């Protein structure tokens, strides 16, 4: 073995362990989950579970028990740890309550199965930027997404593939709604337009251009009313008339008469829907609208801005509108009778008050981020609101009460998190407890269960630490006071006005008999811990003792103190000052020993190594400097973060250290070799504080996103070269996912392909090319082998198969290998992978498809691939005589196979219906109850009221 061989230093990998302290993020929304009973959805009385976006996860909360039932998140893989998890911005639940659609900040769309597991079932790549809105069709078979890239994409959830991309808006999409009984999609955008799309032909047939400000939200009620909200304080109402072959139904009393506000209605007779402006309602709020929400039964409408106020309105049903019309007609006839006029001339006016009436206003404790509502029964409506203060609030009201409506607070979910961002963190001496402080409270968390076990109200906390014994926590506050919090009584037992201004740092002395504090009053104070009689409690004649503190000495440093640290040998006191310098003082005499200067902006955090040799400092100038404590020389200056460094700490008994910055990243470093080891991403906003356990196995961080994250050290080795290579791959993937396919000869700019070029589709295309090459190579070898046998006139041993085919077993053939490669491509990336195939490989691939179709192998997959390739390359395939035989064979075979599949499905459906009738006859029950029964009842009801409707319509002006 050579004596000059150098061993590479091995590091341990760190990974995220869990996230807690967050109820709902300020950039996401909420969605009530309908509960299923058998094969039907119960929209009343059981909607007590709500899905809430919480950073990169989606939490399922039970509003009754106030417990977190489930968490829907992406699996923690090496890829996600390199690229970081993206923040959830929008969630939507399917109408059948089976699927959850989640839109992310990077434009990725994931579909989860709510009942089976909490891992994504399908992943769609279609948007280039953040997804802003999601909507399911009524049958839950299609999902439509809109993004800030101005595109609308429809996804087929059955085939797990993209259908089409709709282009037309010039600004980010804000809301998408889909009509229940018509294939019509309505989209709003910041370009001040609303577009109506025919989903069957992917065409925009009408555009509403009457708005003069950005449109932030829309809603649709009964498939007849379109409600829009803009940057002003008005709600605008539009009537949606369905165009039939006969004429517009004049007996529909829910809509205004034709001719009202004709200047703002659509006049194109070829459209599915005729849009007619009705009127507008002025909201009490002066801020722009943020969201408009309807309950599932379309009884109550709620709207809110970025403020605590939520306004609620009641939307009248058809029966209620008819009742109001009868009363108005009766009153008008009475007036004519009193004036001796003919009652036949009675006419009444149609106005917006027939449709909607104000209910009440609800003011929540904080600014509302998102709301949803449901009808518990025919009278009680419950409103669920997520506020920016990390809180879920549930209110209840009776919509049939006389005004003013009484509002009741049902429940709140606030215990599992802080109302404001966490500014300080600390571990207990046994590493079992975590203390977190914010502007309103101090919380104590169990590290193993991540549950809050104590909540103590306090002033604005800027720093905290556990005192010896772990029964008390000392808090440094923004108002300059030191507060002593008792974990036993869950209260503040002592408050001392220690400084005149904010206390930015406190540090326990190595002998654990006292601590020091420093603040904006330019003073550093020394405090001794002591036992003092507890004045609040007495046990008979014996008074209890409790821990307390008393000032020992102080000295003025002339500048604001931003960070403090005492060396482990208790010899030096290191203070970071506002003048960008770091001063080293002797602890006993308080005389200055060294002045460390070199940072261009104030130092925010410092730490000292276990052997008293190194000092590390993190500054607002985004640099980390490593200093020698003997002479004050700077060993190395490292550009560490893209924003200010707010926390820095050595791993105990090592030269390894962690830094946390406002760029939302946690980084791992080697101070001995000046190396960057690992970057941990997870926070969705800037990190505010950090703390390490005494054994160095766990790190806890808290950020502006109100989440507290626990990281753990694993036994998995980390190789620096591999880490850098994976980071480069992640950067390449991020650049690749922004590319969109451009098809040659495409002229329709309104519609395009749904998928984007991704690393998965690229790998799938490469696999197909490799498998086709192997098939071609094996085919040529067999042809040469047969030619050699004919030339010699005797049998020869077969040529050896390709190494990949040999490794997969004796039964593996080249054709089967191509088919297996095709099956491995995810359905959502299949079209993108086929688009990446060069045209010469497309020809070979179509020849293979002929053999697959002849053998009836994976018919659906082969048909889908064949039809897509024929559609994309139709021009080249039909313009050459060479490819016409292939096209003709595929046309014949595809038509015949599709006809056979259709016949099989029809036969099976008829058999199931026959079995259904037999079972019903035997058990005397009706099985498979569906919407057809409810539709027939609705038609009978509409027919019985037709005569009354026509009479009332004749009285309208």
């Amino acid at each position: 073995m050579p004596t000059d061989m150098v061993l590479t230093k091995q590091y341990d990998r760190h990974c995220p362990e869990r996230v807690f302290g967050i109820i709902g993020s300020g950039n996401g929304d909420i969605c009530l989950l309908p509960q299923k009973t058998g094969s039907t959805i119960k929209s009343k009385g059981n909607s007590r579970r709500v899905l809430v976006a919480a950073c990169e996860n989606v939490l399922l909360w039970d509003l009754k028990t106030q417990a977190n039932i489930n968490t829907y998140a992406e699996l923690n893989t090496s890829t996600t740890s390199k690229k970081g998890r993206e923040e959830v911005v929008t969630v939507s639940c399917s109408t059948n309550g089976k699927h959850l659609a989640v839109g992310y900040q990077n434009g990725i769309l994931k579909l989860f199965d709510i009942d089976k597991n909490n891992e994504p079932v399908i992943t769609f790549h279609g948007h280039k930027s953040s997804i802003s809105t999601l909507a399911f069709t009524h049958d839950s078979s299609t999902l439509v997404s809109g993004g800030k890239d101005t595109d609308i994409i429809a996804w087929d959830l059955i085939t797990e593939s993209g259908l089409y991309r709709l282009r037309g808006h010039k600004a980010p999409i804000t809301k998408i709604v889909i009509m229940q009984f018509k294939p019509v999609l309505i989209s709003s955008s910041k370009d001040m337009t609303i577009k109506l799309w025919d989903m069957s032909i992917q065409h925009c047939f009408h555009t509403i251009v009457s708005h003069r400000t950005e449109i932030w939200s829309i809603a649709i009620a009964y498939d007849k009313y379109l409600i829009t909200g803009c940057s002003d304080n008005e709600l605008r109402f539009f009537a949606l008339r369905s165009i039939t072959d006969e004429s517009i139904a004049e007996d529909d009393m829910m809509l205004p008469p034709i001719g009202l506000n004709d200047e703002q209605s659509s006049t194109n007779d070829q459209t599915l829907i005729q849009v007619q402006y009705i009127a507008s309602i002025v909201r009490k709020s002066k801020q722009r609208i943020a969201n408009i929400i309807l309950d599932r039964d379309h009884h109550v409408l709620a709207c809110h801005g970025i403020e605590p106020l939520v306004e609620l309105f009641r939307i009248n049903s058809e029966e209620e509108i008819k009742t109001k019309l009868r009363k108005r007609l009766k009153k008008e006839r009475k007036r004519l009778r009193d004036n001796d006029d003919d009652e036949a001339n009675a006419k009444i006016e149609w106005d917006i008050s027939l449709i909607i009436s104000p209910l009440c206003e609800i003011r929540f404790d904080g600014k509302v981020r998102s709301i949803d509502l449901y009808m518990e029964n025919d009278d009680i409506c419950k409103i669920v609101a997520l506020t920016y203060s990390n809180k879920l609030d549930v209110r209840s009201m009776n919509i049939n009460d006389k005004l003013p409506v009484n509002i009741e607070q049902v429940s709140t979910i606030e215990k599992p998190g802080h109302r404001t961002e966490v500014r300080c963190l600390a571990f207990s001496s046994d590493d079992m407890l975590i203390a977190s402080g914010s502007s309103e409270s101090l919380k104590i968390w169990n590290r193993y269960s991540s549950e809050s076990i104590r909540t103590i109200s306090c002033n604005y906390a800027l720093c905290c630490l556990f005192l010896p014994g772990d029964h008390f926590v000392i808090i440094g506050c923004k108002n300059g006071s030191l507060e002593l919090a008792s974990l036993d009584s869950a209260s503040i037992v002592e408050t001392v006005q220690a400084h005149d201004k904010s206390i930015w740092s406190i540090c326990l002395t190595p002998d654990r008999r006292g601590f020091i504090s420093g603040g904006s009053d330019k003073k550093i104070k020394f405090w001794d811990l002591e036992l003092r009689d507890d004045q609040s409690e007495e046990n008979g004649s014996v008074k209890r003792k409790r821990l307390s503190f008393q000032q020992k000495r102080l000295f003025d440093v002339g500048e604001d103190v931003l960070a403090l640290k005492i060396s482990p040998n208790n010899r030096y006191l290191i203070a970071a000052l506002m003048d960008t310098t770091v001063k080293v003082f002797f602890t006993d005499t308080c005389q200055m020993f060294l002045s460390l200067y070199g940072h261009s902006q104030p130092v925010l955090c410092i730490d000292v190594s276990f052997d008293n040799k190194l000092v590390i400092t993190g500054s607002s100038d985004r640099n980390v400097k490593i200093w020698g404590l003997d002479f004050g020389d700077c060993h190395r200056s490292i550009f560490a973060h893209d924003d200010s460094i707010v926390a820095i700490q050595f791993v105990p008994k090592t030269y390894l250290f962690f830094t946390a910055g406002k760029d939302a990243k946690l980084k791992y470093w080697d101070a001995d070799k000046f190396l960057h080891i690992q970057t941990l991403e997870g926070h969705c906003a800037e990190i505010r504080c950090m703390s390490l356990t005494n054994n160095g196995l766990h790190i806890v961080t808290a950020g502006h996103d109100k989440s507290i994250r626990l990281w753990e050290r694993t036994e998995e080795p980390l190789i620096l070269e591999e880490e850098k290579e994976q980071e480069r791959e992640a950067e390449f993937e991020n650049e690749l996912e922004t590319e969109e396919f451009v098809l040659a000869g495409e002229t329709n700019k309104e519609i395009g392909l749904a998928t984007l070029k991704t690393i998965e589709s690229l790998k799938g295309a490469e696999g197909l090319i490799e498998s086709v090459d192997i098939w071609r190579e094996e085919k040529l070898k067999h042809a040469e082998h047969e030619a050699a046998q004919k030339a010699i006139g005797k049998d020869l041993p077969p040529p050896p198969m390709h190494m990949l085919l040999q490794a997969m077993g004796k039964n593996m053939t080249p054709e089967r290998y191509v088919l297996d490669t095709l099956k491995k491509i995810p359905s959502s990336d299949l079209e993108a992978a086929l688009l990446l195939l060069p045209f010469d490989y497309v020809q070979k691939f179509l020849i293979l498809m002929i053999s697959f179709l002849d053998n009836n192998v994976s018919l659906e997959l082969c048909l889908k691939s064949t039809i897509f390739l024929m559609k994309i390359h139709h021009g080249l395939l039909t313009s050459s005589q060479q490819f016409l035989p292939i096209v003709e064979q595929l046309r014949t075979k595809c038509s015949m196979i599709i006809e056979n599949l259709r016949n099989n499905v029809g036969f099976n459906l008829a058999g199931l219906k026959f079995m259904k009738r037999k079972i019903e006859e035997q058990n005397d029950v009706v099985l498979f109850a569906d919407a057809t029964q409810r539709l027939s009842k609705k038609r009978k009801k509409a027919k019985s009221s037709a005569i009354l409707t026509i009479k009332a319509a004749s009285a309208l002006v």
Side-chain angles (χ1 to χ4, degrees), residues 236-335:
R236 291 172 175 82
F237 287 77
F238 296 85
L240 304 178
R241 294 185 181 274
S242 178
I243 306 299
T244 59
D245 292 336
E246 299 86 7
S247 62
I248 299 175
E250 295 185 0
D251 58 342
D252 195 345
M253 301 306 301
M254 299 186 70
L255 299 176
I258 301 174
L260 182 66
N261 296 323
D262 274 341
E263 67 277 6
Q264 297 188 41
S265 23
S266 63
T267 57
N268 188 359
D269 294 333
Q270 303 300 321
T271 61
L272 285 173
I273 301 295
Q274 184 185 36
V275 182
Q276 180 182 6
Y277 175 73
I278 303 176
S280 63
I281 293 178
V282 178
R283 299 185 295 117
K284 292 190 176 181
S285 172
K286 301 300 180 184
Q287 295 193 10
R288 72 161 177 87
I289 203 89
N291 202 0
I292 302 175
I293 294 294
L294 285 167
D295 69 293
R296 292 183 181 271
D297 300 319
H298 297 178
H299 291 328
V300 180
L301 180 143
C303 62
H304 68 92
I306 307 177
E307 58 180 346
L309 183 66
V310 174
E311 299 179 53
L312 291 104
F313 302 86
R314 178 171 181 175
I315 298 179
N316 298 322
S317 64
E318 187 173 3
E319 292 297 327
E320 291 170 335
I321 292 176
K322 291 176 182 178
T323 302
K324 286 189 175 184
L325 285 173
R326 288 195 202 100
K327 290 181 180 180
R328 291 188 182 186
L329 185 59
K330 183 178 179 181
K331 186 177 179 181
E332 179 66 16
R333 286 175 177 174
K334 182 180 178 182
R335 186 185 67 82

Side-chain angles (χ1 to χ4, degrees), residues 713-727:
R713 188 174 72 193
T714 64
E715 296 181 355
E716 180 185 356
L718 186 148
I719 309 300
L720 293 180
E721 290 75 11
E722 294 181 359
E723 190 76 9
K724 293 178 181 179
E725 180 63 27
Q726 290 175 356
E727 288 180 0

Side-chain angles (χ1 to χ4, degrees), residues 402-473:
K402 294 183 179 180
L403 298 178
V405 179
N406 184 30
I407 306 297
E408 297 180 0
Q409 182 164 355
V410 180
S411 63
T412 58
I413 300 178
E414 57 181 351
K415 182 182 177 182
H418 286 274
R419 305 286 72 75
T420 55
E421 61 181 1
V422 176
R423 295 301 302 269
C424 56
L425 290 167
F427 273 106
S428 60
S429 58
D430 58 0
D431 300 332
M432 291 184 60
L433 301 178
I434 302 172
S436 62
S438 65
S439 64
E440 86 289 340
S441 64
L442 176 80
K443 282 185 175 289
I444 308 298
W445 307 84
N446 186 306
R447 182 174 64 83
Y448 295 101
S449 64
S450 301
E451 293 183 357
S452 173
I453 58 177
R454 292 287 188 276
T455 301
I456 305 171
S457 298
C458 65
N459 287 314
Y460 200 124
L462 293 177
C463 50
C464 66
L465 60 87
F466 278 90
L467 294 181
D470 295 335
H471 289 278
F472 294 91
V473 175

Side-chain angles (χ1 to χ4, degrees), residues 689-734:
C689 47
M690 176 187 70
S691 182
L692 269 72
T693 56
N694 296 317
N695 55 16
L697 295 178
H698 294 88
I699 310 102
V700 64
T701 57
H704 186 66
D705 56 6
K706 298 183 179 64
S707 68
I708 302 174
R709 296 174 185 267
L710 197 62
W711 315 79
E712 65 175 347
R713 188 174 72 193
T714 64
E715 296 181 355
E716 180 185 356
L718 186 148
I719 309 300
L720 293 180
E721 290 75 11
E722 294 181 359
E723 190 76 9
K724 293 178 181 179
E725 180 63 27
Q726 290 175 356
E727 288 180 0
R728 286 193 292 268
E729 290 179 359
E731 291 179 1
F732 172 72
E733 292 178 18
N734 290 334

Side-chain angles (χ1 to χ4, degrees), residues 683-822:
H683 280 281
C684 301
E686 56 191 41
I687 299 177
R688 287 294 191 180
C689 47
M690 176 187 70
S691 182
L692 269 72
T693 56
N694 296 317
N695 55 16
L697 295 178
H698 294 88
I699 310 102
V700 64
T701 57
H704 186 66
D705 56 6
K706 298 183 179 64
S707 68
I708 302 174
R709 296 174 185 267
L710 197 62
W711 315 79
E712 65 175 347
R713 188 174 72 193
T714 64
E715 296 181 355
E716 180 185 356
L718 186 148
I719 309 300
L720 293 180
E721 290 75 11
E722 294 181 359
E723 190 76 9
K724 293 178 181 179
E725 180 63 27
Q726 290 175 356
E727 288 180 0
R728 286 193 292 268
E729 290 179 359
E731 291 179 1
F732 172 72
E733 292 178 18
N734 290 334
E735 294 176 358
L736 187 66
E737 289 179 1
T738 60
E739 298 183 15
E740 186 177 347
F741 288 107
V742 178
L743 301 181
E746 184 181 9
T747 58
N748 188 359
K749 297 182 179 180
E750 192 179 56
I751 185 173
L753 292 175
T755 55
L756 291 177
K757 187 187 298 183
T758 63
I759 190 67
E760 289 82 5
S761 61
L762 187 61
K763 291 178 180 178
E766 291 175 351
L768 280 178
I769 291 173
E770 181 185 11
S771 63
V772 171
D773 284 338
I774 292 175
W775 167 77
R776 182 65 177 169
E777 180 183 339
E778 292 296 316
K779 188 177 179 181
L780 290 175
K781 284 197 298 186
H782 282 288
E784 293 174 358
H785 178 257
E786 292 178 359
Q789 286 186 144
K790 288 182 180 180
I792 299 176
K794 62 178 182 179
D795 293 339
L796 295 175
M801 296 180 65
H802 193 275
M803 295 179 61
L804 280 175
L805 301 180
Q806 293 180 17
M808 293 183 180
K810 296 181 180 179
N811 297 327
M812 180 59 66
T813 61
E815 291 81 6
R816 184 179 174 185
Y817 179 65
V818 175
L819 186 61
D820 289 347
T821 305
L822 184 65

Side-chain angles (χ1 to χ4, degrees), residues 23-229:
I23 300 170
S25 57
N27 294 329
D29 54 10
I30 65 174
C31 176
L32 281 165
L33 178 65
Q35 287 196 348
K36 300 184 290 294
T37 302
S39 60
T40 61
I41 295 292
K42 296 179 70 175
S43 61
K44 296 182 180 179
N46 285 298
S47 296
R48 55 183 179 87
R49 295 186 296 169
V50 61
L51 295 157
V52 184
C55 293
E56 73 275 16
N57 303 324
V58 178
L59 306 180
L60 180 61
W61 293 96
D62 192 311
L63 299 177
K64 187 175 182 180
T65 62
Q66 302 182 14
N68 182 13
I69 304 173
N70 204 350
T71 300
Y72 301 95
E74 187 179 1
L75 285 174
N76 184 25
T77 61
S78 59
T79 305
T80 58
S81 62
K82 299 296 171 300
K83 296 175 64 176
R85 293 182 176 182
E86 291 292 333
E87 184 178 12
V88 176
V89 290
T90 181
V91 295
S92 180
C93 183
S94 61
T95 51
N96 58 12
K98 293 182 179 180
H99 293 100
L100 166 67
V102 181
Y104 291 85
Q105 189 79 34
N106 60 351
I108 292 178
L109 177 61
K110 295 183 184 293
L111 197 72
F112 294 84
D113 193 318
I114 293 178
D115 296 329
K116 292 184 179 179
N117 52 36
N118 57 352
E119 300 170 5
V121 179
I122 313 171
T123 300
F124 294 121
H125 300 265
H127 291 279
K128 300 177 184 177
S129 58
S130 175
I131 296 176
S132 55
T133 179
L134 296 170
F136 282 91
T137 55
H138 187 65
D139 57 0
S140 300
S141 63
T142 305
L143 174 65
V144 182
S145 61
K148 292 184 177 180
D149 56 0
T150 73
D151 290 345
I152 300 169
I153 304 178
W155 309 93
D156 190 345
L157 303 185
I158 298 175
T159 61
E160 300 181 2
S161 61
L163 293 175
Y164 47 82
R165 181 189 301 267
L166 300 175
R167 305 185 184 99
H169 286 288
K170 305 300 182 185
I173 310 296
T174 55
K175 192 71 175 289
I176 288 175
V177 292
I178 301 173
M179 296 184 69
Q180 181 175 349
F181 300 108
K182 290 279 186 180
V184 175
L185 181 148
I186 306 174
S187 61
S188 65
S189 171
K190 291 184 180 180
D191 61 5
M192 301 182 289
T193 63
I194 296 176
K195 289 183 177 292
L196 282 75
W197 308 79
D198 188 341
M199 297 179 68
S200 58
I201 59 175
Q202 300 94 48
H203 172 65
C204 175
F205 63 85
H206 182 67
T207 302
I208 303 175
V209 294
S210 58
H211 299 82
R212 294 295 176 263
T213 56
E214 295 178 340
I215 305 170
W216 289 93
S217 185
I218 57 175
I220 187 170
Y222 300 119
D223 274 3
K224 297 180 182 295
Y225 309 127
L226 176 65
I227 305 105
T228 66

